[in-house]
Amino acid sequence: MTRASIAIVGAAETTRMGKVPELSQTGLHADAALNALADCGLTLADIDGVATAGHDVAEIIQYLGITPTWYDGTSVGGCSFITLVRHAAAAIETGLCKTVLITHGESGRSNNRSHRPLFPSMQQQEFESIYGPLFPPSRFTLPVMRKMKDDGLTVEQIAMVAVVQREWAALHPRATAHDPLTVDDVLNSKMIAYPFRKLMCCLVSDGGGALILTSADRAKDFPTKPVYLRGMGGESAEGPMISQMESFSSSKAFRVSGKMAFESAGITHSDVDHLMIYDAFAHLPIYGLEDLGFVKPGEGGAFIAEGHTRPGGALPLNTNGGGLSYMHSGMYGMFALQESVRQMRGVSPAQIKDAKLSLVHGVGGMFSAAATAVLTSEDQW
Amino acid sequence: MGDRPLPTIYPETEFYWNGAKEGKLLLNSCPSCDKAYFPPRPFCPVCGNRDVEIKQASGKGRLYSYIINHLPAPGYEPPFTVAVVMLDEGVKMVANLLDCPPDPEALILDMPLEVTFEQRGDVAIPQFKPAGGVA
């Protein structure tokens, strides 16, 4: 029997999300942080570890008036918050701090900020950007035509990812988009970067979220139902030049991160009741399902199109609607974590009955980095 | 619309851009691994060997993947093709496809391509076009 050692005891999103023009990016971090503290009945004085990404962690520390003994500003894109969960767990385990606050805030839509979250890559700029792919929709999509030819993936299957996730979003009052979609709707939406159309691309939102982690032996002192980490998760990176991915049909960073998370948790795929795979674009859940080993290589598109991940399906995936329909601030990984926490607390508007184990997997940059975490409602296994 | 972007050239990559000015596509290559690699750097990313060579590539490759970009980019008139080319030397690089319409009917994966150069101010940019003329 293994006892859980780390728990998520506080979790919250910003009070509002979507269009929040009245808050700066720093303000979104703070709003999320205060909401997460209120969620678990702690105050700022109780926090001795702070982590964030896409924003100077020291500024967040000063803005919130915290005096930490540990901080982490690892910033590799939207999966960073999943990475920071495992880094925070390691810090608590080794006594570097006791109670960690992880914040995300991003003024992705209103642009009330001084900088974009991701470091520019010198080599990406010198050898890729000069050819005109300046935005994520024309970079992240570059490998997909190759995968379609090699694996038989179809554009209709990619469209189905957006259709299925909209079904989940319809259950979430806070989701940005609720109206049902058809494959035809997706395939008739505006062309952005062939073969990708607008409804295969994520939303652009303002918002944020925060998590509070501490040791599992303190978890029962809080008013909320604790959510435990099972194992230490995984992370890896392949780098910001998408043209240099080893394979265009599979992400090495996804595979390495996922394998590590499964091994560390001591679980198999059939143990996973609920799954979140960061979907900045509609092909990502397909790569994720394959690279995490839920299906064989090349079978992810058909698996989603056959309905296995939709409401009522065997493997509920992206049950908040994902970056395609829920919200996408730019570094969406925090929102994937929030939905995993809601599911493990049993309070998601799209609650999966009796779900005890949730796997959350994120991408950073454009197939640049990856991180994976396993959350559970059980304090021992 | 502005001018197309120019690369910021660093000491380690100067040879590549100097070669392009002379109409040559130059690659770093590791003699220990007997393999070319991209983008340039003064050591082999496989074995760490600093004793690497500069070799002229054949300039031949094939269309490995692409998107047809409908988003704005300075100096470009959308839609335009952003391609990933697999060189015969086994390395991948990004380029636009010249002499080829940005149309899925004309963009056949694995079709043979050859290098050409686009002048942007003083800088020559390696580009690709269908081998043996218009596709």
Side-chain angles (χ1 to χ4, degrees):
Chain A
M1 207 57 127
T2 305
R3 294 195 73 81
S5 62
I6 303 293
I8 297 171
V9 296
E13 296 173 353
T14 44
T15 311
R16 298 199 321 109
M17 58 182 203
K19 288 184 199 173
V20 194
E22 70 274 18
L23 283 179
S24 67
Q25 184 159 294
T26 321
L28 290 166
H29 279 269
D31 181 50
L34 295 173
N35 285 346
L37 287 163
D39 180 57
C40 61
L42 288 177
T43 67
L44 287 165
D46 298 313
I47 301 298
D48 60 358
V50 181
T52 194
H55 202 108
D56 179 11
V57 66
E59 177 171 47
I60 300 307
I61 287 164
Q62 184 166 58
Y63 199 63
L64 290 171
I66 294 170
T67 305
T69 62
W70 175 87
Y71 52 78
D72 191 335
T74 303
S75 199
V76 292
C79 69
S80 299
F81 307 99
I82 304 169
T83 314
L84 292 170
V85 163
R86 67 194 300 267
H87 291 191
I92 295 166
E93 286 263 25
T94 50
L96 305 183
C97 58
K98 290 189 172 64
T99 310
V100 171
L101 168 68
I102 303 175
T103 69
H104 165 59
E106 191 162 354
S107 185
R109 186 178 187 91
S110 301
N111 212 23
N112 288 331
R113 57 183 170 180
S114 62
H115 60 278
R116 297 186 64 80
L118 205 57
F119 285 118
S121 149
M122 289 164 64
Q123 293 207 311
Q124 197 275 329
Q125 290 184 329
E126 187 175 359
F127 295 103
E128 290 182 351
S129 292
I130 57 162
Y131 296 103
L134 301 180
F135 304 101
S138 45
R139 287 173 58 191
F140 221 149
T141 51
L142 260 180
V144 176
M145 288 298 290
R146 185 79 239 171
K147 183 172 176 67
M148 290 171 74
K149 174 160 183 182
D150 289 353
D151 290 356
L153 175 67
T154 67
V155 74
E156 288 80 11
Q157 289 171 342
I158 299 172
M160 270 301 283
V161 175
V163 170
V164 168
Q165 291 194 192
R166 186 60 63 83
E167 293 175 6
W168 286 113
L171 304 172
H172 271 264
R174 273 169 63 86
T176 300
H178 295 105
D179 294 341
L181 280 183
T182 65
V183 167
D184 279 349
D185 292 336
V186 179
L187 295 182
N188 289 321
S189 63
K190 190 181 169 199
M191 187 64 84
I192 302 290
Y194 177 89
F196 278 72
R197 291 173 182 272
K198 188 170 184 204
L199 290 172
M200 300 169 178
C201 305
C202 63
L203 302 159
V204 181
S205 321
D206 301 324
L211 294 171
I212 294 170
L213 283 75
T214 192
S215 59
D217 52 26
R218 293 176 58 205
K220 296 208 165 84
D221 300 340
F222 295 92
T224 50
K225 183 179 175 190
V227 175
Y228 299 98
L229 299 190
R230 181 156 172 169
M232 293 299 277
E235 69 191 57
S236 192
E238 190 164 8
M241 283 188 77
I242 196 163
S243 65
Q244 302 307 307
M245 283 177 85
E246 200 172 81
S247 164
F248 275 19
S249 296
S250 166
S251 159
K252 183 168 72 174
F254 281 19
R255 296 194 309 270
V256 172
S257 177
K259 183 166 185 282
M260 196 171 197
F262 272 96
E263 286 174 1
S264 178
I267 57 166
T268 63
H269 294 86
S270 61
D271 294 321
V272 176
D273 301 315
H274 171 255
L275 179 60
M276 297 297 290
I277 298 175
Y278 186 155
D279 57 322
F281 294 90
H283 58 304
L284 289 164
I286 296 168
Y287 280 77
L289 283 170
E290 296 175 10
D291 290 338
L292 295 170
F294 285 96
V295 297
K296 294 198 182 88
E299 293 182 354
F303 187 80
I304 291 173
E306 285 161 9
H308 299 296
T309 64
R310 72 180 356 155
L315 184 60
L317 168 64
N318 291 344
T319 54
N320 60 354
L324 297 175
S325 287
Y326 186 69
M327 78 87 73
H328 192 279
S329 52
M331 299 178 80
Y332 159 88
M334 173 58 82
F335 295 92
L337 282 162
Q338 294 286 339
E339 175 65 7
S340 279
V341 169
R342 286 192 291 265
Q343 288 285 349
M344 293 301 94
R345 285 177 169 180
V347 299
S348 171
Q351 186 60 42
I352 307 304
K353 196 166 174 284
D354 300 328
K356 294 193 184 82
L357 192 129
S358 173
L359 187 138
V360 52
H361 177 79
V363 66
M366 278 136 265
F367 282 125
S368 178
T372 316
V374 179
L375 275 51
T376 174
S377 58
E378 298 180 309
D379 63 357
Q380 57 181 23
W381 46 86
Chain B
M1 198 155 83
D3 295 329
R4 291 188 175 190
L6 292 174
T8 302
I9 298 170
Y10 298 99
E12 299 93 328
T13 58
E14 218 172 346
F15 79 86
Y16 176 85
W17 297 105
N18 286 341
K21 262 185 207 170
E22 296 169 16
K24 294 175 185 169
L25 182 63
L26 299 182
L27 297 175
N28 273 140
S29 182
C30 174
S32 309
C33 298
D34 195 24
K35 271 174 83 169
Y37 60 88
F38 187 83
R41 75 208 81 166
F43 62 92
C44 170
V46 175
C47 73
N49 178 17
R50 289 171 182 262
D51 256 333
V52 294
E53 298 170 341
I54 293 169
K55 283 190 171 172
Q56 183 172 355
S58 65
K60 308 275 184 220
R62 60 192 173 95
L63 179 59
Y64 194 67
S65 198
Y66 71 89
I67 57 123
I68 301 171
N69 187 30
H70 289 247
L71 299 173
Y76 282 90
E77 202 154 335
F80 62 94
T81 305
V82 179
V84 178
V85 181
M86 176 67 85
L87 299 181
D88 284 0
E89 287 77 10
V91 302
K92 299 192 286 290
M93 60 183 288
V94 172
N96 302 123
L97 284 195
L98 311 187
D99 302 338
C100 185
D103 177 350
E105 300 277 318
L107 295 162
I108 309 302
L109 286 201
D110 298 317
M111 71 182 191
L113 302 171
E114 63 189 25
V115 75
T116 181
F117 294 88
E118 175 202 335
Q119 203 65 33
R120 294 187 194 174
D122 292 339
V123 183
I125 307 287
Q127 291 283 23
F128 281 80
K129 63 181 182 181
V134 175

